[in-house]
Amino acid sequence: MYTHIMAPVDLGHAGRLDRALKVAADLAKLYGADITYVGVTGNEPSSVAHTPAEFTQKLEAFAETQAAGTGVPAKARAITAHDPAVDLDGILARAVDEIDADLVVMGTHLPGRMDWPSHGGKLASHSKASVFLVRS
Amino acid sequence: MSDQGIPAPEGESDIIDTDYNIGQDNIEGRVGPFGFDIHNPVFLVSGLAVVAFVVYAFLFPTQAANFFSGVNAAEVEGCEPGAFCDVGLRAYLTSTFDWFFLSAANIFVIFCLALIVLPIGSVRLGGKDATPDYGYPGWFAMLFAAGMGIGLMFFGVLEPAYYFGTPWGDEPLGAIRPFAEDGTLIPENVDEARRMALAATSYHWALHPWAIYAVVALALALFSYNKGLPLSIRSAFYPILGDRIWGWWGHVIDILAVFATLFGLATSLGIGAQQANAGLGFVYGLPVSTTVQVILICLITAIALVSVLRGLDGGVKILSEINMVVAVVLLLFVLFAAGALRILGDFGSTLGAYVQEIIPLSNPFGRSDDGYREGWTAFYWAWWISWSPFVGMFIARVSRGRTVREFVTCVLIIPSLVCVFWMTTFGGTAIADMIANPETSAVKANVIDSYAPELSLFAMLQGLPLTAITSTIGIILVIVFFVTSSDSGSLVIDTITAGGKVDAPVPQRVFWCTFEGAVAIVLLIGGGLASLQAMVISTGLPFTIILLLMCWAILKGLLSEPR
């Protein structure tokens, strides 16, 4: 049914991702799919990393930890944006095409930039992939 | 995420290792559907301070005006109308500390020029392998649109025409006057007066202001992109204050920056709306009234809101580029309508005059041209410096990936040439009009005979063909330059008040953009625009000290970078 799941993650609020991550892993196991964790950062230092390179390292480590915990093969894809707060919708929509994902699993209503305007809702209306929004 | 135990990257830059995590002092939460993520206490203190000053200016307009901008010069005993004898805080600072402003600005220029030639100029902002975020056209457009475009529109005609014809004793370096008492031309004085007018104007718009912006921008870019500190003014002080920048030392620096930026933008917006209204009245006969001005502020704020909602690439950059194209069209029109060959020749001689006069003009001591040195130069330096946290931070935001040498050359030399060219074209054309028709010149009527500075640009355009079209373009440019200052300013204020986070929730920038428009409207209706603008310019003094310290911090920061 699904072969490649994209899971957008906000590493700044990793503690609140649990439900969405579990749903993504369960679905991946059910359908035998891979997961790509997608993270978006600006060029400026953030609460997660000092530089985009460090952000990439952290996201890769995150994906490895998830893969080890769930047993689902996982990759990381870090994307740098000029203005992450605003550019997020377009970036996620492009990422779906670039990594050729057929299902997106993401949490909703996280505080911070994953909040209003609803990124998950926009993605669902613009993406050809299925979108699973997990209420947290 | 530090609990994941992942080391910082190695090699490409010299990251400063602190225990501070960006956003650790922030408060996150939600108001209705809107999330927020703000720095405590910078957001609250600066927001409340702004409200307090607005209330003060609203409740005690006369007292505020007297304190900050000085009483009406006409009421001071022994003061000629128009002469420089105000006694408010701003005038006190610019006349008492003129030597300090002039000396500091000279240091900034020398510092920047040294960075171009020193080996540390090869350090790349963002680490050794960084590539530029923006190409040259978009980058230059944003440099101008944020901090200078609106000034070029307002002063491009006014300042050269003023120095050329001023009968009020504030000629630069005591230059000779081209007009006799009865308003007739003194032919033998004309060339020298014109030369000095253009050189003195160029002095205020070329190397010195851009060096001020470059220092702030470079400090922020270096400490943020290369050292990994948050994109906030306080970060530049890490080499001096160490971890104390995370406490009240840093809070005070950031609050002062937010305060100066917000009031700088709001008061300029209010005064700009009055100017645009005056222009609309001059060209179309539209009534000059508070209602029209409030509508203009709402319009500018509304466009700026759309721009900040569309973000840096989709809003701010596109508007800046549109602005730049329209400005170039206007520049080319004036160039060809007024005689391209003559202006190109003038450009060469203005540059020559600028180089020749820059040392006497920037000499802080032993001069007798008080009106010019205190009333214009020191005022300008305080003004540029009070705007520098905003413009510098915005420039830093869009300049990652360039080497220090390339950065300084592009922020200092090229904009300086553009500004001198702009001033030669607009000011030179205006002066030519004053020389050709001393009796009927609209420029002379609105700048010298009666002082209506907001009309100077339109008066100059009146002397050229297609006045209705070019004046309309002029008004549109004024409005759009305000939009591009307003949107970039909102981004900057939002980043500082979010503790250096550039990915704070979007509703916060909407808040600052709207707040700025609201402050402008309140000040416009209640009075206090001029007095609070004078207050903002007064913040130039503490910021001058901050900028001098920044130079040292930059040097120290660059020396520890891999080259």
Side-chain angles (χ1 to χ4, degrees):
Chain A
M1 182 94 176
Y2 298 112
T3 55
H4 194 171
I5 297 176
M6 171 171 127
V9 289
D10 180 355
L11 288 187
H13 298 100
R16 298 177 208 174
L17 288 168
D18 291 351
R19 283 169 66 92
L21 292 175
K22 184 163 178 353
V23 171
D26 289 349
L27 287 172
K29 282 181 204 160
L30 179 62
Y31 295 114
D34 297 347
I35 300 181
T36 298
Y37 296 97
V38 173
V40 180
T41 184
N43 284 313
E44 296 77 9
S46 69
S47 53
V48 178
H50 295 101
T51 63
E54 186 185 345
F55 182 87
T56 308
Q57 283 185 1
K58 288 198 169 179
L59 190 65
E60 280 166 359
F62 176 84
E64 277 171 28
T65 314
Q66 290 295 322
T70 60
V72 176
K75 279 188 287 195
R77 187 178 182 88
I79 301 171
T80 309
H82 290 155
D83 193 353
V86 169
D87 299 340
L88 192 64
D89 293 329
I91 288 170
L92 292 182
R94 276 195 300 278
V96 170
D97 292 339
E98 283 164 14
I99 66 173
D100 204 20
D102 42 19
L103 172 64
V104 179
V105 178
M106 62 191 286
T108 62
H109 290 278
L110 282 175
R113 71 175 119 103
M114 291 288 191
D115 197 16
W116 180 88
S118 162
H119 299 294
K122 275 206 178 151
L123 190 62
S125 46
H126 289 108
S127 171
K128 62 176 196 286
S130 306
V131 178
F132 190 148
L133 299 181
V134 182
R135 296 260 179 248
S136 41
Chain B
M1 298 303 289
S2 51
D3 53 346
Q4 293 184 4
I6 299 151
E10 295 173 319
E12 56 173 34
S13 66
D14 174 48
I15 295 279
I16 291 178
D17 202 14
T18 78
D19 292 335
Y20 186 84
N21 284 326
I22 295 174
Q24 73 174 37
D25 294 332
N26 282 23
I27 313 173
E28 286 186 48
R30 47 195 313 117
V31 180
F34 307 119
F36 64 84
D37 184 356
I38 55 176
H39 186 278
N40 177 34
V42 171
F43 184 99
L44 289 172
V45 175
S46 36
L48 289 175
V50 169
V51 173
F53 270 86
V54 171
V55 169
Y56 169 63
F58 197 79
L59 293 182
F60 308 101
T62 319
Q63 195 191 12
N66 285 350
F67 181 69
F68 291 121
S69 55
V71 294
N72 183 355
E75 291 168 10
V76 178
E77 205 174 324
C79 185
E80 295 286 318
F84 193 69
C85 40
D86 297 344
V87 290
L89 179 65
R90 185 198 70 204
Y92 169 76
L93 292 180
T94 49
S95 58
T96 313
F97 294 100
D98 58 316
W99 60 272
F100 181 61
F101 286 118
L102 264 73
S103 310
N106 293 341
I107 291 173
F108 301 142
V109 173
I110 294 166
F111 177 72
C112 287
L113 292 176
L115 286 180
I116 297 180
V117 293
L118 288 175
I120 46 173
S122 60
V123 170
R124 192 173 284 279
L125 299 172
K128 248 183 154 175
D129 304 324
T131 49
D133 283 354
Y134 292 96
Y136 282 112
W139 190 41
F140 279 123
M142 288 192 277
L143 291 186
F144 276 99
M148 203 169 259
I150 193 66
L152 290 174
M153 296 302 295
F154 186 68
F155 287 100
V157 167
L158 173 67
E159 200 176 340
Y162 182 96
Y163 295 150
F164 178 73
T166 174
W168 298 299
D170 49 359
E171 301 92 334
L173 297 174
I176 44 176
R177 294 180 185 181
F179 294 111
E181 291 281 318
D182 61 359
T184 53
L185 215 56
I186 309 171
E188 63 270 25
N189 290 357
V190 165
D191 282 347
E192 177 56 19
R194 184 179 63 176
R195 193 187 78 91
M196 189 52 97
L198 289 172
T201 307
S202 301
Y203 168 56
H204 289 156
W205 292 85
L207 293 175
H208 288 75
W210 288 100
I212 289 167
Y213 288 165
V215 164
V216 181
L218 189 56
L220 297 175
L222 180 68
F223 285 94
S224 185
Y225 296 132
N226 295 49
K227 309 290 181 189
L229 300 181
L231 185 63
S232 203
I233 310 290
R234 66 173 82 196
S235 295
F237 291 87
Y238 193 84
I240 297 165
L241 296 171
D243 282 319
R244 276 172 292 184
I245 61 166
W246 312 122
W248 273 99
W249 283 94
H251 299 340
V252 169
I253 292 169
D254 279 355
I255 289 167
L256 198 61
V258 171
F259 191 74
T261 303
L262 192 108
F263 269 124
L265 287 169
T267 53
S268 302
L269 186 59
I271 292 168
Q274 290 173 335
Q275 286 157 6
N277 191 184
L280 286 169
F282 187 74
V283 180
Y284 296 113
L286 209 72
V288 175
S289 73
T290 313
T291 314
V292 176
Q293 290 156 15
V294 170
I295 291 171
L296 280 168
I297 293 178
C298 291
L299 178 75
I300 290 170
T301 307
I303 307 174
L305 269 178
V306 174
S307 177
V308 292
L309 280 172
R310 289 181 56 89
L312 201 51
D313 291 357
V316 181
K317 176 166 165 267
I318 291 178
L319 264 185
S320 300
E321 284 171 345
I322 293 173
N323 224 348
M324 208 40 46
V325 170
V326 181
V328 168
V329 168
L330 187 64
L331 180 72
L332 289 178
F333 170 79
V334 176
L335 181 71
F336 287 105
L341 274 180
R342 178 185 60 76
I343 291 175
L344 288 175
D346 280 356
F347 176 55
S349 53
T350 302
L351 269 183
Y354 174 58
V355 172
Q356 227 175 354
E357 302 294 343
I358 188 168
I359 291 177
L361 284 169
S362 56
N363 168 21
F365 303 106
R367 284 165 62 175
S368 53
D369 56 347
D370 292 355
Y372 173 77
R373 195 183 69 258
E374 296 170 3
W376 285 90
T377 305
F379 165 81
Y380 261 122
W381 286 184
W383 184 29
W384 295 132
I385 290 169
S386 70
W387 275 72
S388 65
F390 147 47
V391 183
M393 184 145 159
F394 184 70
I395 295 177
R397 179 90 191 258
V398 297
S399 301
R400 184 181 162 278
R402 307 209 174 260
T403 64
V404 170
R405 187 170 295 125
E406 187 188 7
F407 172 85
V408 177
T409 310
C410 291
V411 174
L412 197 64
I413 310 291
I414 294 169
S416 292
L417 290 174
V418 172
C419 284
V420 173
F421 189 68
W422 182 279
M423 291 299 175
T424 310
T425 308
F426 282 69
T429 304
I431 292 174
D433 182 53
M434 290 164 81
I435 296 170
N437 321 292
E439 301 294 322
T440 56
S441 161
V443 176
K444 184 162 180 282
N446 284 298
V447 177
I448 305 299
D449 299 342
S450 70
Y451 189 58
E454 66 277 12
L455 297 179
S456 57
L457 172 69
F458 305 107
M460 186 274 286
L461 292 174
Q462 219 177 31
L464 301 175
L466 304 173
T467 310
I469 298 173
T470 55
S471 299
T472 308
I473 294 177
I475 293 169
I476 292 173
L477 260 180
V478 169
I479 291 174
V480 185
F481 269 126
F482 269 111
V483 173
T484 52
S485 289
S486 176
D487 58 12
S488 45
S490 305
L491 286 183
V492 165
I493 296 177
D494 178 42
T495 304
I496 302 178
T497 54
K501 278 190 170 183
V502 295
D503 56 355
V506 176
Q508 276 172 226
R509 11 179 129 162
V510 173
F511 166 78
W512 285 114
C513 192
T514 317
F515 191 49
E516 179 198 308
V519 169
I521 291 173
V522 170
L523 293 176
L524 183 75
I525 295 172
L529 275 176
S531 53
L532 288 190
Q533 193 181 43
M535 179 202 63
V536 173
I537 292 166
S538 309
T539 63
L541 186 68
F543 272 120
T544 308
I545 300 167
I546 287 179
L547 261 66
L548 286 168
L549 294 173
M550 272 184 183
C551 290
W552 189 72
I554 291 173
L555 207 58
K556 212 169 159 196
L558 282 177
L559 285 171
S560 65
E561 279 295 307
R563 294 195 286 279

